[in-house]
């Protein structure tokens, strides 16, 4: 007799699993949102959508997905594109390593797989940025292969459905939820089933106030039966994120401003920005700005005026950024950290991909020089 077991020995019979699959797929076929990546079997398009949807909501992704595929409709066009253009289209979507990996991955598919996305787990996972989730999602949705795809929405649904006590954000929790997802996967329609579970998490079994009354799985749901919906999923408390004080200098010379390019790896890799950095303990902000510019680009500047303060939150830290307009005094640019630089006119800034934190103050630069 088949069963699935949560960490507290809750069981489900095979016949119940089949009924549950049927209810879920019936619900999905009737109520799912029309989304462009659901109207295609093109593995490249599905791959792009899954990469974009990682840690990002559907409504944010939609315009980026359309722009991206408008410019790079085929894997080949992406592989042949300049990375800066890819970053420009990705600008604002965040987690830029995803864009770098997708670009590298497209090149690898062209060079090593004759332009065809590998349709098996082992080969597909050799591609940069293709982890277990992306591979499972693409292979199940585009190729109909029986792989369970477990994202944040799915973990939450499973935690509630089977009253699983493992905190969803605990390291190693993925394996627990993946094991459960594998046991309930509908192997006849794995792509639809995976999408249905994700859709249920996104639209019904939401993080707050799940709508159990309209849920197709209500009669199977253990937290619903035990009246414990609010207690699941369990989470471990995260440490509060540190906040850094940053200075940024918009250095101008002959009606042009200096921008620098970050190295391709790491946070915001390959994006352009104005030079700056962390304020040292006890240091005045103006002095920090002058020092950072000297250290980073080897220029001597003086502060013209204070522009504004911008706050921005990244996943693991926050920044408070003070921005100064700086006058070039002397020196030749020599880079220490950035990999490239340009002196550009203000209206040319739009041609370069910048982090969101820089974009927040850039409108204030108009008529500054
Ligand atoms: S019944 Fe409620 S808690 Fe259970 S899966 Fe459905 S929406 Fe989520």
């Amino acid at each position: 007799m088949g069963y699935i077991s949560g960490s507290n020995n809750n069981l489900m019979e095979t016949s119940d699993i089949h009924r549950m699959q049927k209810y879920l797929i019936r619900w999905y076929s009737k109520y799912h949102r029309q989304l462009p990546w659901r109207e295609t079997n093109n593995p490249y398009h599905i791959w792009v959508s899954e990469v974009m949807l990682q840690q990002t909501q559907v409504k944010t992704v939609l315009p980026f997905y359309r722009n991206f595929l408008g410019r790079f409709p085929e894997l080949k066009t992406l592989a042949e594109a300049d990375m800066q253009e890819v970053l420009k289209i990705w600008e604002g979507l965040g987690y830029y390593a995803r864009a770098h990996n997708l670009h590298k991955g497209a090149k690898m598919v062209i060079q090593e797989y004759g332009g065809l996305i590998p349709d098996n787990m082992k080969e597909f996972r050799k591609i940069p940025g293709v982890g277990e989730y992306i591979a499972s999602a693409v292979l199940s949705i585009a190729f109909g292969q029986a792989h369970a795809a477990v994202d944040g929405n799915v973990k939450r649904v499973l935690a509630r459905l089977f009253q699983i006590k493992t905190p969803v954000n605990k390291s190693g929790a993925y394996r627990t939820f993946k094991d459960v997802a594998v046991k309930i996967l509908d192997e006849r329609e794995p792509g639809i089933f995976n999408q249905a579970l994700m859709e249920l998490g996104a639209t019904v079994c939401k993080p707050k106030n799940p709508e159990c009354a309209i849920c197709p799985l209500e009669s199977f749901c253990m937290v619903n039966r035990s009246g414990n919906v609010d207690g699941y999923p369990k989470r471990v408390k995260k440490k509060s994120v540190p906040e850094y004080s940053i200075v940024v200098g918009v250095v101008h010379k002959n009606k042009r401003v200096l921008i620098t390019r970050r190295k391709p790896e790491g946070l915001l890799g390959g994006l352009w920005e104005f030079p700056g950095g962390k304020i040292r303990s006890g240091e005045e902000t103006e002095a920090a700005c002058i020092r950072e510019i000297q250290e980073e680009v080897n220029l001597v500047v003086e502060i013209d005026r204070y522009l504004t303060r911008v706050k921005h939150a990244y996943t693991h830290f926050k920044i408070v950024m003070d921005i100064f307009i700086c006058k070039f005094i002397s020196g030749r640019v020599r880079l220490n950290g950035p990999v490239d630089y340009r002196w550009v006119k203000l209206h040319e800034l739009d041609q370069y991909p910048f982090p969101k934190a820089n974009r927040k103050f850039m409108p204030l630069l108009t008529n500054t020089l």
Side-chain angles (χ1 to χ4, degrees), residues 171-184:
S171 66
Y174 174 81
R175 220 10 78 200
T176 304
F177 290 95
K178 175 86 180 189
D179 288 348
V180 176
V182 166
K183 285 175 184 158
I184 63 165

Side-chain angles (χ1 to χ4, degrees), residues 156-157 160-161 200 204-206 210-213 215-219 221-224 229:
R156 181 173 61 258
V157 174
R160 288 173 174 159
L161 203 50
L200 189 75
V204 176
C205 194
K206 295 173 288 188
E211 299 188 54
C212 303
C215 178
L217 306 186
E218 188 189 10
S219 59
C221 179
M222 290 172 186
V223 296
N224 187 277
V229 173

